[in-house]
Amino acid sequence: MAADPVEYFDALETRNPAEREAALFAALVRQIAHAQSHAAYFAEILCDIDARDITSRAALATLPVTRKSEMTMQQRIAPPLGGLNATPLRDLRHVFQSPGPIHEPDGHGPDWWRTARAMFAAGFREGDLVYNTFSYHFTPAGMMMESGAHRLGCCVFPAGVGQTESQVQALANLQPSAYAGTPSFLKLLIERGEEMGMACSSISKALVSGEACPPALRAWLQDHGITARQMYGTADLGLIAYETAGGDGWVVDEGVLVEIVEPGGTEPMPEGEVGEVVVTVLGNSDYPLIRFGTGDLSAIVADSSHRASPCGRTNIRLKGWLGRADQATKVKGMFVHPGQVGDVVRRHAEIRAARLIVTGTVGADVMTLHCDVTREDEALAAAIRESMREVLRLRGEVRFVPAGSLPQDGKVIEDARSYD
């Protein structure tokens, strides 16, 4: 029996990669020009940039990365949005607050966060009743899912978080076919329903986010008749990437331009290597974030820029969420940042890879830069030690390690001190 044909949200998902890249950079030029003209923050940090010159990934990599720490500072200076918004506050629909605190806007128009694409890939269709357990309070998660569901023609039950027994009763009464929320809460609802003698067996598909969905939990949900797909997004950016039936990574959304850069830095990593996810939103005239550092670690699936997913979608794919990029570590009373380690490495062409490991005890720190190098001699070690002193303002040791022996996990600084 032939397999059912794959459905797509729109024709953008199966574009020729070269066609997509050209379209992304044409949109990028427009977005940069718009941000320079309408968002005070970007007018300042991009004041020397001619938007018409940013037509390649190499050119994009010359622009500054904005991270949450800068955003928080800007929002304190110019509340509530720090001048990153290109639409005046009076013309926005909502302002939300996430931990930090960081404020995020919501503009008018359907599916402002672009989550419908991920929901469609998870099997959500017109007429489905979506049981939405993401919070509607303070953070935008609940609204992010609701707006995407409405774009697809779904009805939404705004369950929100907590009140487990009441939620079980609602599930049993409403018999929804689709779920949006964290995977662990879905498991909890099903288990509590079994304890209460109230079947919660109507859900057959789920779009889950907000936490990891390990294989054991995914298998448990599948055993209960639920196919769960993961979505990766943030309150600032909306949808970034999503799972499909094809597997082989998370497909990047068509409305964003994703880079993987050195953790804490700005330089792109080679395809397949772990780094920080940096995202530029295209087509959002309200909140035109350009090179926004998510603080999350991931990697581009090797060769996915030339090889379609088994589901037929042709955009690049991420390896999933691999941890956090913020590895700033205090050594002898001073913070050392991953970007500074990158600066040391760039001073020496002989260094193929490096990892700063801090050992000892707090107050008696020992800082050693483990280096995978093309040559090993005392002259190079001395030069690297001098670069560490100049860049980090701290003295440290250098250790040469065998080629290829450093873990490829995106970690630049490892705190191995004893805290006993």
Side-chain angles (χ1 to χ4, degrees):
M1 184 175 179
D4 293 334
V6 177
E7 294 184 275
Y8 302 107
F9 180 72
D10 58 25
L12 298 178
E13 296 181 349
T14 56
R15 284 183 288 181
N16 178 280
E19 176 189 346
R20 175 183 291 108
E21 195 80 349
L24 288 176
F25 279 92
L28 176 64
V29 170
R30 295 191 296 270
Q31 186 76 320
I32 293 174
H34 175 73
Q36 289 172 318
S37 299
H38 296 86
Y41 172 78
F42 290 109
E44 180 179 347
I45 70 166
L46 302 178
C47 63
D48 296 326
I49 300 299
D50 186 335
R52 295 170 295 183
D53 294 336
I54 312 302
T55 57
S56 68
R57 290 184 179 268
L60 177 61
T62 65
L63 304 185
V65 172
T66 295
R67 292 188 166 82
K68 288 184 182 289
S69 56
E70 287 99 342
M71 182 177 283
T72 301
M73 185 179 302
Q74 279 298 123
Q75 291 185 352
R76 289 172 181 165
I77 295 170
L81 297 171
L84 283 84
N85 54 305
T87 296
L89 194 66
R90 65 178 179 273
D91 295 326
L92 295 170
R93 186 165 60 165
H94 298 104
V95 172
F96 294 96
Q97 179 174 299
S98 297
I102 293 177
H103 298 110
E104 307 96 5
D106 166 23
H108 295 279
D111 195 20
W112 196 82
W113 285 279
R114 310 175 316 284
T115 53
R117 188 179 301 280
M119 289 181 154
F120 190 90
F124 291 38
R125 294 295 184 269
E126 183 178 357
D128 283 336
L129 175 58
V130 178
Y131 196 89
N132 184 12
T133 66
F134 280 113
S135 176
Y136 283 78
H137 177 64
F138 267 68
T139 69
M143 291 297 295
M144 290 171 72
M145 293 299 177
E146 178 161 318
S147 62
H150 288 325
R151 172 75 183 277
L152 295 178
C154 300
C155 181
V156 177
F157 180 75
V161 298
Q163 298 180 304
T164 304
E165 292 188 3
S166 296
Q167 297 229 27
V168 167
Q169 292 174 345
L171 278 169
N173 292 334
L174 290 167
Q175 294 291 298
S177 59
Y179 168 91
T182 64
S184 61
F185 190 55
L186 176 55
K187 181 175 185 287
L188 176 62
L189 291 174
I190 294 170
E191 290 176 331
R192 187 62 58 85
E194 292 172 349
E195 294 171 4
M196 295 170 61
M198 303 182 76
C200 299
S201 56
S202 62
I203 295 174
S204 61
K205 49 204 168 188
L207 182 65
V208 298
S209 191
E211 66 184 21
C213 185
L217 178 51
R218 189 194 298 269
W220 189 95
L221 294 172
Q222 191 69 57
D223 289 343
H224 286 75
I226 301 169
T227 299
R229 305 275 182 238
Q230 296 181 88
M231 185 197 101
Y232 170 41
T234 73
D236 323 272
L237 299 159
L239 177 64
I240 298 172
Y242 57 98
E243 278 192 314
T244 72
D248 194 29
W250 297 359
V251 179
V252 168
D253 177 46
E254 298 293 334
V256 296
L257 203 161
V258 170
E259 305 168 87
I260 303 296
V261 310
E262 58 183 7
T266 63
E267 293 296 316
M269 300 289 290
E271 187 173 286
E273 293 193 16
V274 177
E276 182 180 1
V277 180
V278 169
V279 181
T280 298
V281 178
L282 304 173
N284 186 333
S285 59
D286 296 320
Y287 204 49
L289 295 183
I290 296 166
R291 295 204 91 197
F292 180 74
T294 64
D296 296 322
L297 293 175
S298 190
I300 304 282
V301 172
D303 205 34
S304 65
S305 56
H306 306 290
R307 176 175 53 86
S309 167
C311 70
R313 292 173 176 84
T314 57
N315 208 344
I316 60 173
R317 300 183 296 282
L318 301 181
K319 290 184 178 179
W321 186 84
L322 302 178
R324 292 290 296 168
D326 184 9
Q327 302 161 30
T329 303
K330 187 171 282 190
V331 180
K332 296 181 180 177
M334 294 181 61
F335 274 109
V336 176
H337 298 269
Q340 292 175 295
V341 178
D343 290 341
V344 171
V345 171
R346 278 188 291 274
R347 289 187 173 201
H348 304 278
E350 299 90 343
I351 302 179
R352 289 183 292 237
R355 187 184 190 104
L356 186 71
I357 300 180
V358 185
T359 56
T361 59
V362 177
D365 310 310
V366 178
M367 185 174 67
T368 306
L369 189 64
H370 291 234
C371 299
D372 177 340
V373 295
T374 58
R375 78 168 208 267
E376 298 183 14
D377 56 55
E378 179 53 33
L380 177 59
I384 296 172
R385 285 194 295 269
E386 180 62 18
S387 293
M388 291 173 66
R389 188 187 65 78
E390 292 178 358
V391 175
L392 307 181
R393 305 296 180 187
L394 293 165
R395 296 187 182 279
E397 298 301 320
V398 172
R399 176 178 296 174
F400 297 132
V401 300
S405 64
L406 293 176
Q408 296 297 309
D409 56 4
K411 187 173 287 189
V412 177
I413 301 175
E414 178 183 342
D415 188 349
R417 287 173 289 192
S418 172
Y419 289 90
D420 295 337

